[in-house]
Amino acid sequence: MAFSTGDLTHEVLARSHHYHHSYHSSGGGSGPIQWWEWLILLVGAGAIIWGLIRKFAG
C-alpha cells in the first residue's frame, strides 16, 4: 500500500481534531481555538522561523 505525506498529514489532523473535540466536550469554550492555543501556535511558529533564520544566516 502506498503511503504519502498528505495521508500522514490528514491522519495527524484527524486524530488531533478528534482529541480536541473530546477534550473540550465539557463546554465553556468560546470557539474552536482558545486564545492561549493561538499563543502557543504563534510562539512555536516564531521559534521555528527564528531557528531557520539562524541556520541560514551563517
Side-chain angles (χ1 to χ4, degrees):
M1 180 174 147
F3 192 79
S4 71
T5 313
D7 292 337
L8 177 62
T9 304
H10 179 73
E11 181 70 21
V12 170
L13 288 174
R15 286 176 187 239
S16 66
H17 183 69
H18 176 71
Y19 173 76
H20 188 76
H21 264 310
S22 63
Y23 181 75
H24 289 291
S25 63
S26 60
S30 61
I33 297 181
Q34 303 296 317
W35 67 268
W36 54 269
E37 291 173 314
W38 279 114
L39 181 63
I40 291 170
L41 288 173
L42 288 173
V43 169
I48 291 170
I49 292 170
W50 179 252
L52 289 172
I53 289 172
R54 288 183 53 117
K55 180 179 179 179
F56 292 113

